[in-house]
Amino acid sequence: EALRSGFVDYISFNEGEHTWLEMANAFDAGEEFESIKGLGYLKDGKLVHTGNREFIDLSTLPDLDWNLVNPKNYFQKSYGYDRMLGTYMSKGCTGRCAYCYNPGFHRSTRRCRPLEQVIREMKYLKENFGADGFDFTDDLMFANRKEVVDFCNAIIDAKLDICWSGYLGFGILNDPNDFELMHKAGCRSMIYGVESASQKVLKSVNKVVHLDKVKSNVENCLKAGI
């Protein structure tokens, strides 16, 4: 539909970072785009797809260049904090929920940015623009307990003194002490996808959630102040 609108010459499928860079380089060199993977365009009225790309190794991407925008224009108020910014730590999710875009887009694969890069970015935004919190937009912020503990300890060690929120799966954490560590590190909100209180319904949409974990996880969050 986008291509047939007459306003679009090319579309990119899935991740576009490397695709767009190659397009820019080809444009500067006066070369055609048809050999660049990840593109779609119309030829004689039919869609041509140049092929899929491999997933990007997020550790190879540079730090986000926040000087290209004014971060203060994107501040949001939430959880008692006035200057929260959106950012991300990972791409994708290991789930295969039938209603989600993830199995088709990310092929149920999850990849993380280097933790030190994320901490460096938060510190930069706090010191240079006054950000006091971060809303992580990851589909799944943490895949296991170690990631949670490492992230929280890194924030505490860096003395960031910020708040943060994100999306978490049930059962990844079960120890009340882990939720207390999250609160100590600045977590003030955690979003869970319960979807249904029926285990039968959850199974029918391929969502791996055990309802007995739901209540205990929510209770542990509340007790910790999240």
Side-chain angles (χ1 to χ4, degrees), residues 36-58:
I36 299 173
K37 285 187 176 181
L39 285 179
Y41 60 94
L42 291 180
K43 186 174 183 178
D44 299 326
K46 294 183 179 181
L47 175 66
V48 176
H49 182 200
T50 59
N52 292 321
R53 284 183 172 274
E54 295 298 318
F55 285 128
I56 295 173
D57 177 354
L58 300 186

PDB file of all heavy atoms in Angstrom, residues 36-58:
ATOM      1  N   ILE A  36      20.879  -4.000  -2.472  1.00  0.00           N
ATOM      2  CA  ILE A  36      20.904  -3.825  -1.018  1.00  0.00           C
ATOM      3  C   ILE A  36      19.830  -4.693  -0.386  1.00  0.00           C
ATOM      4  O   ILE A  36      18.649  -4.583  -0.706  1.00  0.00           O
ATOM      5  CB  ILE A  36      20.677  -2.341  -0.647  1.00  0.00           C
ATOM      6  CG1 ILE A  36      21.787  -1.475  -1.240  1.00  0.00           C
ATOM      7  CG2 ILE A  36      20.606  -2.180   0.871  1.00  0.00           C
ATOM      8  CD1 ILE A  36      21.559   0.020  -1.061  1.00  0.00           C
ATOM      9  N   LYS A  37      20.237  -5.569   0.525  1.00  0.00           N
ATOM     10  CA  LYS A  37      19.279  -6.456   1.173  1.00  0.00           C
ATOM     11  C   LYS A  37      18.338  -5.689   2.100  1.00  0.00           C
ATOM     12  O   LYS A  37      18.707  -4.670   2.672  1.00  0.00           O
ATOM     13  CB  LYS A  37      20.010  -7.528   1.982  1.00  0.00           C
ATOM     14  CG  LYS A  37      20.640  -8.628   1.146  1.00  0.00           C
ATOM     15  CD  LYS A  37      21.181  -9.726   2.042  1.00  0.00           C
ATOM     16  CE  LYS A  37      21.728 -10.880   1.217  1.00  0.00           C
ATOM     17  NZ  LYS A  37      22.241 -11.968   2.080  1.00  0.00           N
ATOM     18  N   GLY A  38      17.131  -6.220   2.231  1.00  0.00           N
ATOM     19  CA  GLY A  38      16.166  -5.651   3.160  1.00  0.00           C
ATOM     20  C   GLY A  38      15.254  -4.604   2.557  1.00  0.00           C
ATOM     21  O   GLY A  38      14.514  -3.941   3.286  1.00  0.00           O
ATOM     22  N   LEU A  39      15.275  -4.458   1.239  1.00  0.00           N
ATOM     23  CA  LEU A  39      14.455  -3.444   0.587  1.00  0.00           C
ATOM     24  C   LEU A  39      13.295  -4.058  -0.189  1.00  0.00           C
ATOM     25  O   LEU A  39      13.361  -5.200  -0.645  1.00  0.00           O
ATOM     26  CB  LEU A  39      15.302  -2.608  -0.378  1.00  0.00           C
ATOM     27  CG  LEU A  39      16.250  -1.585   0.235  1.00  0.00           C
ATOM     28  CD1 LEU A  39      17.020  -0.876  -0.878  1.00  0.00           C
ATOM     29  CD2 LEU A  39      15.483  -0.583   1.080  1.00  0.00           C
ATOM     30  N   GLY A  40      12.252  -3.272  -0.339  1.00  0.00           N
ATOM     31  CA  GLY A  40      11.145  -3.645  -1.203  1.00  0.00           C
ATOM     32  C   GLY A  40      10.818  -2.472  -2.119  1.00  0.00           C
ATOM     33  O   GLY A  40      10.880  -1.311  -1.700  1.00  0.00           O
ATOM     34  N   TYR A  41      10.486  -2.758  -3.366  1.00  0.00           N
ATOM     35  CA  TYR A  41      10.114  -1.707  -4.308  1.00  0.00           C
ATOM     36  C   TYR A  41       9.235  -2.321  -5.393  1.00  0.00           C
ATOM     37  O   TYR A  41       9.131  -3.559  -5.516  1.00  0.00           O
ATOM     38  CB  TYR A  41      11.358  -1.045  -4.921  1.00  0.00           C
ATOM     39  CG  TYR A  41      12.264  -1.985  -5.679  1.00  0.00           C
ATOM     40  CD1 TYR A  41      12.143  -2.153  -7.067  1.00  0.00           C
ATOM     41  CD2 TYR A  41      13.258  -2.707  -5.025  1.00  0.00           C
ATOM     42  CE1 TYR A  41      12.971  -3.016  -7.761  1.00  0.00           C
ATOM     43  CE2 TYR A  41      14.092  -3.565  -5.706  1.00  0.00           C
ATOM     44  CZ  TYR A  41      13.946  -3.718  -7.082  1.00  0.00           C
ATOM     45  OH  TYR A  41      14.762  -4.580  -7.755  1.00  0.00           O
ATOM     46  N   LEU A  42       8.610  -1.474  -6.176  1.00  0.00           N
ATOM     47  CA  LEU A  42       7.745  -1.954  -7.244  1.00  0.00           C
ATOM     48  C   LEU A  42       8.492  -1.960  -8.579  1.00  0.00           C
ATOM     49  O   LEU A  42       9.218  -1.029  -8.906  1.00  0.00           O
ATOM     50  CB  LEU A  42       6.508  -1.060  -7.375  1.00  0.00           C
ATOM     51  CG  LEU A  42       5.488  -1.114  -6.240  1.00  0.00           C
ATOM     52  CD1 LEU A  42       4.335  -0.158  -6.540  1.00  0.00           C
ATOM     53  CD2 LEU A  42       4.963  -2.529  -6.026  1.00  0.00           C
ATOM     54  N   LYS A  43       8.300  -3.058  -9.317  1.00  0.00           N
ATOM     55  CA  LYS A  43       8.828  -3.155 -10.676  1.00  0.00           C
ATOM     56  C   LYS A  43       7.732  -3.724 -11.560  1.00  0.00           C
ATOM     57  O   LYS A  43       7.246  -4.829 -11.319  1.00  0.00           O
ATOM     58  CB  LYS A  43      10.064  -4.066 -10.715  1.00  0.00           C
ATOM     59  CG  LYS A  43      10.748  -4.100 -12.083  1.00  0.00           C
ATOM     60  CD  LYS A  43      12.042  -4.889 -12.020  1.00  0.00           C
ATOM     61  CE  LYS A  43      12.763  -4.847 -13.365  1.00  0.00           C
ATOM     62  NZ  LYS A  43      14.050  -5.581 -13.317  1.00  0.00           N
ATOM     63  N   ASP A  44       7.334  -2.949 -12.542  1.00  0.00           N
ATOM     64  CA  ASP A  44       6.215  -3.326 -13.404  1.00  0.00           C
ATOM     65  C   ASP A  44       4.965  -3.646 -12.574  1.00  0.00           C
ATOM     66  O   ASP A  44       4.202  -4.570 -12.866  1.00  0.00           O
ATOM     67  CB  ASP A  44       6.576  -4.536 -14.275  1.00  0.00           C
ATOM     68  CG  ASP A  44       7.759  -4.247 -15.192  1.00  0.00           C
ATOM     69  OD1 ASP A  44       7.880  -3.095 -15.642  1.00  0.00           O
ATOM     70  OD2 ASP A  44       8.562  -5.171 -15.433  1.00  0.00           O
ATOM     71  N   GLY A  45       4.787  -2.874 -11.505  1.00  0.00           N
ATOM     72  CA  GLY A  45       3.590  -3.018 -10.692  1.00  0.00           C
ATOM     73  C   GLY A  45       3.624  -4.154  -9.688  1.00  0.00           C
ATOM     74  O   GLY A  45       2.665  -4.361  -8.947  1.00  0.00           O
ATOM     75  N   LYS A  46       4.741  -4.885  -9.642  1.00  0.00           N
ATOM     76  CA  LYS A  46       4.842  -6.015  -8.705  1.00  0.00           C
ATOM     77  C   LYS A  46       5.917  -5.744  -7.648  1.00  0.00           C
ATOM     78  O   LYS A  46       6.933  -5.118  -7.942  1.00  0.00           O
ATOM     79  CB  LYS A  46       5.169  -7.303  -9.467  1.00  0.00           C
ATOM     80  CG  LYS A  46       4.060  -7.755 -10.403  1.00  0.00           C
ATOM     81  CD  LYS A  46       4.419  -9.081 -11.080  1.00  0.00           C
ATOM     82  CE  LYS A  46       3.293  -9.547 -11.992  1.00  0.00           C
ATOM     83  NZ  LYS A  46       3.616 -10.848 -12.647  1.00  0.00           N
ATOM     84  N   LEU A  47       5.678  -6.268  -6.449  1.00  0.00           N
ATOM     85  CA  LEU A  47       6.617  -6.057  -5.352  1.00  0.00           C
ATOM     86  C   LEU A  47       7.875  -6.893  -5.547  1.00  0.00           C
ATOM     87  O   LEU A  47       7.807  -8.099  -5.776  1.00  0.00           O
ATOM     88  CB  LEU A  47       5.964  -6.421  -4.016  1.00  0.00           C
ATOM     89  CG  LEU A  47       6.885  -6.350  -2.786  1.00  0.00           C
ATOM     90  CD1 LEU A  47       7.317  -4.916  -2.530  1.00  0.00           C
ATOM     91  CD2 LEU A  47       6.198  -6.922  -1.558  1.00  0.00           C
ATOM     92  N   VAL A  48       9.008  -6.249  -5.444  1.00  0.00           N
ATOM     93  CA  VAL A  48      10.301  -6.928  -5.451  1.00  0.00           C
ATOM     94  C   VAL A  48      10.899  -6.820  -4.058  1.00  0.00           C
ATOM     95  O   VAL A  48      10.982  -5.720  -3.495  1.00  0.00           O
ATOM     96  CB  VAL A  48      11.262  -6.298  -6.482  1.00  0.00           C
ATOM     97  CG1 VAL A  48      12.635  -6.964  -6.399  1.00  0.00           C
ATOM     98  CG2 VAL A  48      10.692  -6.415  -7.886  1.00  0.00           C
ATOM     99  N   HIS A  49      11.310  -7.937  -3.479  1.00  0.00           N
ATOM    100  CA  HIS A  49      11.935  -7.958  -2.161  1.00  0.00           C
ATOM    101  C   HIS A  49      13.371  -8.427  -2.356  1.00  0.00           C
ATOM    102  O   HIS A  49      13.615  -9.501  -2.903  1.00  0.00           O
ATOM    103  CB  HIS A  49      11.175  -8.923  -1.234  1.00  0.00           C
ATOM    104  CG  HIS A  49      11.716  -8.966   0.162  1.00  0.00           C
ATOM    105  ND1 HIS A  49      11.483 -10.003   1.026  1.00  0.00           N
ATOM    106  CD2 HIS A  49      12.491  -8.086   0.833  1.00  0.00           C
ATOM    107  CE1 HIS A  49      12.082  -9.776   2.181  1.00  0.00           C
ATOM    108  NE2 HIS A  49      12.698  -8.615   2.083  1.00  0.00           N
ATOM    109  N   THR A  50      14.339  -7.621  -1.896  1.00  0.00           N
ATOM    110  CA  THR A  50      15.753  -7.911  -2.164  1.00  0.00           C
ATOM    111  C   THR A  50      16.349  -8.939  -1.209  1.00  0.00           C
ATOM    112  O   THR A  50      17.529  -9.244  -1.304  1.00  0.00           O
ATOM    113  CB  THR A  50      16.587  -6.618  -2.093  1.00  0.00           C
ATOM    114  OG1 THR A  50      16.446  -6.040  -0.787  1.00  0.00           O
ATOM    115  CG2 THR A  50      16.132  -5.623  -3.146  1.00  0.00           C
ATOM    116  N   GLY A  51      15.549  -9.482  -0.286  1.00  0.00           N
ATOM    117  CA  GLY A  51      16.044 -10.523   0.611  1.00  0.00           C
ATOM    118  C   GLY A  51      16.207 -10.032   2.038  1.00  0.00           C
ATOM    119  O   GLY A  51      16.379  -8.836   2.292  1.00  0.00           O
ATOM    120  N   ASN A  52      16.147 -10.962   2.978  1.00  0.00           N
ATOM    121  CA  ASN A  52      16.261 -10.620   4.392  1.00  0.00           C
ATOM    122  C   ASN A  52      17.719 -10.408   4.813  1.00  0.00           C
ATOM    123  O   ASN A  52      18.630 -11.001   4.238  1.00  0.00           O
ATOM    124  CB  ASN A  52      15.655 -11.727   5.253  1.00  0.00           C
ATOM    125  CG  ASN A  52      14.153 -11.823   5.085  1.00  0.00           C
ATOM    126  OD1 ASN A  52      13.468 -10.807   4.974  1.00  0.00           O
ATOM    127  ND2 ASN A  52      13.628 -13.036   5.068  1.00  0.00           N
ATOM    128  N   ARG A  53      17.885  -9.609   5.833  1.00  0.00           N
ATOM    129  CA  ARG A  53      19.185  -9.387   6.437  1.00  0.00           C
ATOM    130  C   ARG A  53      19.335 -10.250   7.686  1.00  0.00           C
ATOM    131  O   ARG A  53      18.360 -10.650   8.297  1.00  0.00           O
ATOM    132  CB  ARG A  53      19.338  -7.918   6.863  1.00  0.00           C
ATOM    133  CG  ARG A  53      19.604  -6.973   5.723  1.00  0.00           C
ATOM    134  CD  ARG A  53      19.806  -5.564   6.266  1.00  0.00           C
ATOM    135  NE  ARG A  53      20.246  -4.679   5.201  1.00  0.00           N
ATOM    136  CZ  ARG A  53      21.509  -4.520   4.845  1.00  0.00           C
ATOM    137  NH1 ARG A  53      22.456  -5.158   5.497  1.00  0.00           N
ATOM    138  NH2 ARG A  53      21.839  -3.715   3.861  1.00  0.00           N
ATOM    139  N   GLU A  54      20.591 -10.487   8.053  1.00  0.00           N
ATOM    140  CA  GLU A  54      20.845 -11.097   9.342  1.00  0.00           C
ATOM    141  C   GLU A  54      20.558 -10.064  10.438  1.00  0.00           C
ATOM    142  O   GLU A  54      20.639  -8.864  10.204  1.00  0.00           O
ATOM    143  CB  GLU A  54      22.305 -11.555   9.438  1.00  0.00           C
ATOM    144  CG  GLU A  54      22.678 -12.661   8.467  1.00  0.00           C
ATOM    145  CD  GLU A  54      21.884 -13.934   8.706  1.00  0.00           C
ATOM    146  OE1 GLU A  54      21.701 -14.309   9.893  1.00  0.00           O
ATOM    147  OE2 GLU A  54      21.417 -14.537   7.726  1.00  0.00           O
ATOM    148  N   PHE A  55      20.228 -10.539  11.617  1.00  0.00           N
ATOM    149  CA  PHE A  55      20.002  -9.624  12.723  1.00  0.00           C
ATOM    150  C   PHE A  55      21.274  -8.840  13.036  1.00  0.00           C
ATOM    151  O   PHE A  55      22.388  -9.354  12.911  1.00  0.00           O
ATOM    152  CB  PHE A  55      19.581 -10.381  13.984  1.00  0.00           C
ATOM    153  CG  PHE A  55      18.166 -10.877  13.941  1.00  0.00           C
ATOM    154  CD1 PHE A  55      17.871 -12.208  14.213  1.00  0.00           C
ATOM    155  CD2 PHE A  55      17.120 -10.010  13.634  1.00  0.00           C
ATOM    156  CE1 PHE A  55      16.573 -12.669  14.179  1.00  0.00           C
ATOM    157  CE2 PHE A  55      15.815 -10.463  13.596  1.00  0.00           C
ATOM    158  CZ  PHE A  55      15.533 -11.795  13.874  1.00  0.00           C
ATOM    159  N   ILE A  56      21.087  -7.591  13.461  1.00  0.00           N
ATOM    160  CA  ILE A  56      22.220  -6.751  13.819  1.00  0.00           C
ATOM    161  C   ILE A  56      22.783  -7.182  15.172  1.00  0.00           C
ATOM    162  O   ILE A  56      22.034  -7.450  16.111  1.00  0.00           O
ATOM    163  CB  ILE A  56      21.780  -5.277  13.892  1.00  0.00           C
ATOM    164  CG1 ILE A  56      21.355  -4.784  12.499  1.00  0.00           C
ATOM    165  CG2 ILE A  56      22.886  -4.397  14.451  1.00  0.00           C
ATOM    166  CD1 ILE A  56      20.755  -3.390  12.531  1.00  0.00           C
ATOM    167  N   ASP A  57      24.091  -7.246  15.253  1.00  0.00           N
ATOM    168  CA  ASP A  57      24.765  -7.410  16.528  1.00  0.00           C
ATOM    169  C   ASP A  57      24.750  -6.033  17.190  1.00  0.00           C
ATOM    170  O   ASP A  57      25.457  -5.121  16.756  1.00  0.00           O
ATOM    171  CB  ASP A  57      26.201  -7.906  16.309  1.00  0.00           C
ATOM    172  CG  ASP A  57      26.982  -8.033  17.616  1.00  0.00           C
ATOM    173  OD1 ASP A  57      26.464  -7.639  18.674  1.00  0.00           O
ATOM    174  OD2 ASP A  57      28.132  -8.515  17.558  1.00  0.00           O
ATOM    175  N   LEU A  58      23.922  -5.871  18.234  1.00  0.00           N
ATOM    176  CA  LEU A  58      23.719  -4.543  18.803  1.00  0.00           C
ATOM    177  C   LEU A  58      24.985  -3.960  19.403  1.00  0.00           C
ATOM    178  O   LEU A  58      25.089  -2.735  19.562  1.00  0.00           O
ATOM    179  CB  LEU A  58      22.607  -4.592  19.854  1.00  0.00           C
ATOM    180  CG  LEU A  58      21.231  -5.049  19.342  1.00  0.00           C
ATOM    181  CD1 LEU A  58      20.190  -4.923  20.447  1.00  0.00           C
ATOM    182  CD2 LEU A  58      20.805  -4.254  18.112  1.00  0.00           C
TER     183      LEU A  58
END
